[in-house]
Amino acid sequence: MNDDRSDLELSKLPFMDMNLDIESRVEDLLQRLTLQEKFTLSSGMKWWYTKPIERLGIRSFAMHDGPHGVRVDNEGKIKSTYFPSAICRSATWNLDLSEKFGIAIAQEIRDVGAHMLLAPGINIQRTPMCGRTFEYQTEDPYLNKKLAVAVVKGVQSQRIAACIKHFICNNQETNRFTVSSEVSERALQEIYYPAFKAAVQEADAWSVMSSYNKINGIYGAENKHLLTEVLRDEWGFKGFVVTDWVATRWGTTTESCVNAGLTLEMPSAIKYDPKKMLQAYEEGKFSLDTFDENVKRLLRVMFLVGLFDKENTLLKGSRNTPEHQTLAREIAEEGIVLLKNTGALLPLDLEKVRKIAVIGPTAKRKTYLGGGSSSNFPPYEVKPIRGIKNKCQDHVELVTTPSEADVTLVFVGLQHKEGGDAENWDKDSFNLPLDQIELINETVKDNPNTIVINTSGSPVSMIEWIDKVPAVLQAWYGGMEAGNAIAAIIFGDTNPSGKLPITFPKKLSDSPGHTSKRTYPGNEKVFYEEGIFVGYRHFDTKNIKPIFPFGHGLSYTNFKYENLEINKDKVSGEEVFNITIEITNSGNHVGAEVVQLYIQDVECSIERPVKELKGFKKVKLKPSEKKTIKFEIGKENLSFFDENDNCWKAEKGLFKILIGSSSRDIRLQGEIEYLG
Ligand code: BGC
């Protein structure tokens, strides 16, 4: 090989030819790499990079966290837009916003010279105690997959790779490096796989991050069943698998990872140390074909992101732009959920209110620091108090004594830190801190017009105060524009339209994962004994009333649902049927509603949930405006996974079509018969 090849000579090699198809470029480059160079490419350096191979002009492939903004360093030297946390984006139920978010964050990745975003995090929210609930999207597999596809499409439209993570069943942080998630095939298929599968099949995700934890006894990074049989063979995945950071420190061997289909070990070589790789190879522990297939996948993504292409042919990056900040604000506004609003206390009328008391620890708190890999450093963050002040100046007097005020805003919530909403630790309590509970209870005694604004990335107990308080907003972690977004909702500039992507239980023991220590947090193993009955599937089936159900969220206007029509009574085989309903804004504010479609299998040979989300549409309506909403439903939406026959099945019989404003506010019902 010629080590002194000039740039000019390199540029003439076939893999550098931008007009050649990607597969030919990959093949050409692969056969030019020596075995040592392939080993070199298989593990990372300096936390975020692959090692360059200068001889062939292969630059470092760079990747950064994370789900809410680009984080290049831990000191905040490089600033980036801080978007609302994933649970807040999910609460918008607005796929368009998720796609725009994907585009914007990819532009920021491009702007820092990188090629892959380590996001979205699409693990299912199995328990409200998981420290990373804020970072994941939802408890429901259908909503999860729709959101995941939108984000991945957005990111990759910019020729930046999305890395869907963490594959799979990384649903808690307790013992995350070593615990084995003991989960049934049916639960994998119906609950935990769908978003990963759809992101691969419908959005062609270019990368998957394997999980730290074991899945049924085998670590994510060496799980051949998951990485090869499921991802590649069944789903047709064309991208590469990367480890979670330092995951290979625990268990695993060089050959178990290579043979499983793991391409890249990050952030540096442990099991993929070139010497260990050579030894394993020479001892015949893996074949060149198997290894080449892993390497090829990284090369393919390198071409897809334009690593070898001329800079001026790539889409331009951008970062910290007013457009991205406006998008962060839009997501925050649409994601805030109005949980309760007795007597239409909200929105507040700036012309009528004279004095507002603003109290509580989270009014003045920034949220961006801490919380692990999904934290980032924005150029600014609008705290809630700033947002309220921006709106109230020259109109309303702001005080701190509830008894003196017309209305009191109490800001409570958790923090991105150990014991709160944070990576590496689960929450240490389902409750808000005791002093906050006392603050709410004391305040409401002094001022009945008390509005609670809860800033948390996961459900918290509200039972201690919810009945006493007339109005509650769930504000999540709303990103760098959170304060302005909260103010826009409080003063009615924006009509709330967020809906809960996760059930808020009355008490933790009501939650499906919390029936015993085996089911959470487990020890060496955590048993997913609830099977498919995760989230509202559990609450509905066991008839447990949550404090706020999945899909719940109020508006300042009202929506009238009517005229459900199903175009067929009976369907068979792969036939699809159409459902239409009419929805009217019957109130006085412009508003958006998320129309939710659930299906119930009336007769089935195995236990199925009372209902399952199978469609939703977000629709914006002016007062008195009416729109027709259409859903298309087919066999896939009627099916369950049959473990005996190891396949998806739809059984003959009746299915109820339930259309509602939340999972527990069903407004219209119909029925179809599936003939098989
Ligand atoms: C997290 C990943 C993250 C990685 C790199 C890990 O600890 O689990 O989600 O992408 O670190 O920061």
Side-chain angles (χ1 to χ4, degrees):
M1 297 280 172
N2 175 6
D3 283 347
D4 304 320
R5 220 188 297 253
S6 69
D7 284 356
L8 185 66
E9 278 174 86
L10 273 177
S11 71
K12 290 187 186 140
L13 296 175
F15 73 83
M16 291 296 283
D17 181 355
M18 285 172 60
N19 298 318
L20 211 62
D21 66 280
I22 283 192
E23 293 312 314
S24 312
R25 295 176 80 183
V26 170
E27 286 302 336
D28 180 64
L29 180 54
L30 184 74
Q31 52 92 15
R32 289 172 194 280
L33 285 164
T34 64
L35 190 60
Q36 274 304 324
E37 284 169 338
K38 291 178 202 164
F39 293 155
T40 303
L41 274 180
S42 299
S43 59
M45 60 166 203
K46 297 188 189 161
W47 207 253
W48 302 127
Y49 307 92
T50 64
K51 296 173 203 125
I53 310 280
E54 276 160 27
R55 185 182 71 85
L56 289 165
I58 307 181
R59 293 187 289 136
S60 278
F61 175 88
M63 57 208 103
H64 295 297
D65 282 316
H68 313 127
V70 174
R71 181 178 63 108
V72 178
D73 59 75
N74 282 332
E75 294 82 47
K77 284 186 219 131
I78 295 190
K79 307 265 187 269
S80 64
T81 303
Y82 167 29
F83 291 96
S85 56
I87 197 169
C88 176
R89 178 174 49 73
S90 310
T92 70
W93 295 55
N94 182 334
L95 300 179
D96 191 40
L97 277 184
S98 274
E99 187 163 348
K100 283 187 181 152
F101 156 76
I103 294 171
I105 197 164
Q107 288 167 340
E108 302 221 348
I109 280 281
R110 178 71 77 197
D111 194 62
V112 298
H115 311 101
M116 179 156 91
L117 173 74
L118 301 172
I122 56 176
N123 291 106
I124 284 282
Q125 292 163 342
R126 174 175 178 254
T127 156
M129 297 304 283
C130 174
R132 296 181 92 168
T133 302
F134 73 100
E135 204 181 326
Y136 298 148
Q137 303 189 124
T138 167
E139 70 184 20
D140 178 76
Y142 182 84
L143 178 59
N144 204 23
K145 80 172 181 183
K146 291 285 174 190
L147 293 161
V149 166
V151 174
V152 172
K153 279 190 175 163
V155 171
Q156 295 190 171
S157 70
Q158 303 303 299
R159 295 189 65 189
I160 292 295
C163 179
I164 49 176
K165 65 189 191 184
H166 312 85
F167 195 57
I168 201 165
C169 291
N170 180 185
N171 305 106
Q172 65 182 51
E173 293 299 281
T174 307
N175 298 333
R176 68 168 171 161
F177 298 121
T178 52
V179 73
S180 177
S181 302
E182 299 290 309
V183 55
S184 70
E185 185 61 22
R186 183 173 177 208
L188 285 170
Q189 295 279 352
E190 292 192 26
I191 306 292
Y192 299 100
Y193 281 164
F196 286 92
K197 183 177 179 185
V200 167
Q201 295 191 328
E202 295 169 36
D204 186 24
W206 292 340
S207 182
V208 169
M209 187 187 292
S210 54
S211 60
Y212 285 125
N213 53 282
K214 301 178 193 125
I215 303 91
N216 294 327
I218 303 175
Y219 279 106
E222 59 172 354
N223 202 309
K224 187 169 182 185
H225 171 63
L226 290 173
L227 305 192
T228 295
E229 291 166 19
V230 175
L231 254 185
R232 291 183 188 175
D233 302 347
E234 285 176 34
W235 300 351
F237 177 59
K238 296 271 183 295
F240 72 92
V241 178
V242 54
T243 59
D244 199 343
W245 268 227
V246 303
T248 39
R249 210 183 263 169
W250 298 270
T252 74
T253 60
T254 305
E255 59 275 15
S256 66
C257 293
V258 174
N259 288 324
L262 175 82
T263 295
L264 182 61
E265 182 181 55
M266 288 299 289
S268 54
I270 305 176
K271 301 290 155 59
Y272 278 8
D273 175 276
K275 282 196 208 99
K276 287 187 194 157
M277 289 198 106
L278 183 62
Q279 190 182 343
Y281 175 67
E282 285 179 346
E283 288 170 6
K285 291 184 172 154
F286 62 84
S287 72
L288 189 60
D289 278 357
T290 304
F291 179 50
D292 274 356
E293 179 57 37
N294 294 347
V295 175
K296 219 161 131 172
R297 289 164 176 268
L298 174 61
L299 301 183
R300 182 177 293 131
V301 176
M302 286 177 164
F303 286 110
L304 286 166
V305 300
L307 197 75
F308 300 93
D309 296 354
K310 295 192 185 74
E311 206 62 30
N312 60 5
T313 63
L314 299 174
L315 292 166
K316 283 260 162 312
S318 56
R319 189 160 42 95
N320 295 322
T321 61
E323 291 75 18
H324 293 179
Q325 290 156 4
T326 304
L327 178 63
R329 177 170 168 168
E330 267 181 72
I331 297 171
E333 286 182 13
E334 277 206 36
I336 291 172
V337 181
L338 178 60
L339 293 176
K340 182 172 178 186
N341 195 19
T342 309
L345 181 56
L346 284 167
L348 301 181
D349 186 339
L350 276 177
E351 302 308 319
K352 293 196 183 134
V353 185
R354 291 172 307 108
K355 265 190 196 181
I356 300 178
V358 183
I359 60 170
T362 56
K364 293 185 180 164
R365 197 185 275 166
K366 288 187 179 177
T367 60
Y368 66 86
L369 278 173
S373 62
S374 78
S375 56
N376 73 307
F377 299 87
Y380 66 85
E381 179 180 338
V382 182
K383 293 183 264 185
I385 186 72
R386 176 45 44 216
I388 304 292
K389 280 186 181 162
N390 288 348
K391 284 299 297 179
C392 289
Q393 58 192 4
D394 308 329
H395 292 275
V396 181
E397 190 185 343
L398 297 180
V399 296
T400 49
T401 316
S403 58
E404 287 174 12
D406 304 323
V407 178
T408 301
L409 304 175
V410 190
F411 287 86
V412 295
L414 303 179
Q415 269 181 291
H416 278 316
K417 65 172 200 188
E418 183 180 343
D421 290 309
E423 179 180 332
N424 208 20
W425 292 274
D426 281 341
K427 288 166 37 170
D428 54 21
S429 168
F430 181 52
N431 297 328
L432 287 173
L434 194 59
D435 55 343
Q436 297 189 12
I437 299 172
E438 282 167 6
L439 180 71
I440 298 171
N441 283 327
E442 288 306 312
T443 305
V444 77
K445 276 191 218 151
D446 289 346
N447 186 335
N449 291 334
T450 289
I451 298 159
V452 173
I453 299 99
N454 182 47
T455 298
S456 69
S458 55
V460 293
S461 171
M462 297 187 172
I463 204 80
E464 305 85 356
W465 46 268
I466 192 74
D467 291 338
K468 301 175 204 159
V469 171
V472 183
L473 286 171
Q474 176 62 32
W476 316 110
Y477 299 112
M480 64 196 292
E481 282 284 332
N484 286 331
I486 291 169
I489 296 283
I490 289 179
F491 297 101
D493 299 338
T494 301
N495 190 348
S497 63
K499 300 274 186 180
L500 293 180
I502 185 169
T503 306
F504 274 47
K506 277 191 184 153
K507 49 187 197 303
L508 190 59
S509 56
D510 287 346
S511 259
H514 292 269
T515 48
S516 75
K517 290 227 159 50
R518 276 167 65 79
T519 58
Y520 178 86
N523 193 0
E524 283 170 17
K525 296 179 176 181
V526 55
F527 294 89
Y528 287 31
E529 281 170 5
E530 72 286 355
I532 59 155
F533 295 95
V534 174
Y536 66 91
R537 287 164 169 76
H538 160 84
F539 286 84
D540 286 355
T541 308
K542 295 270 187 263
N543 215 356
I544 302 169
K545 201 164 175 255
I547 210 154
F548 293 110
F550 175 82
H552 170 76
L554 304 173
S555 166
Y556 297 151
T557 192
N558 295 309
F559 297 99
K560 194 163 88 190
Y561 285 67
E562 57 194 347
N563 298 330
L564 169 79
E565 280 181 22
I566 307 178
N567 71 339
K568 293 170 188 163
D569 316 332
K570 298 178 198 297
V571 285
S572 52
E574 304 295 326
E575 226 179 319
V576 292
F577 56 101
N578 295 327
I579 300 165
T580 54
I581 66 129
E582 283 175 356
I583 181 161
T584 311
N585 181 344
S586 55
N588 302 320
H589 298 259
V590 174
E593 171 71 325
V594 180
V595 179
Q596 301 162 41
L597 183 151
Y598 296 86
I599 295 188
Q600 180 184 93
D601 189 349
V602 180
E603 312 149 44
C604 188
S605 60
I606 64 166
E607 198 185 12
R608 295 196 66 185
V610 171
K611 63 174 104 63
E612 294 184 283
L613 184 75
K614 295 294 172 188
F616 64 88
K617 296 266 159 75
K618 188 160 192 174
V619 53
K620 194 166 181 181
L621 296 165
K622 297 191 204 84
S624 305
E625 194 183 359
K626 180 191 273 193
K627 277 190 185 159
T628 301
I629 309 289
K630 186 173 156 192
F631 297 98
E632 214 178 66
I633 294 293
K635 180 181 171 191
E636 189 194 332
N637 307 108
L638 310 178
S639 304
F640 63 92
F641 188 80
D642 185 337
E643 284 188 333
N644 293 329
D645 292 344
N646 201 32
C647 66
W648 285 84
K649 266 188 192 164
E651 281 183 353
K652 291 179 192 167
L654 293 179
F655 289 83
K656 272 196 190 151
I657 310 297
L658 310 165
I659 309 275
S661 175
S662 89
S663 63
R664 292 212 171 200
D665 181 6
I666 300 301
R667 308 281 181 90
L668 300 169
Q669 290 202 25
E671 216 171 59
I672 64 116
E673 189 182 348
Y674 186 65
L675 302 172

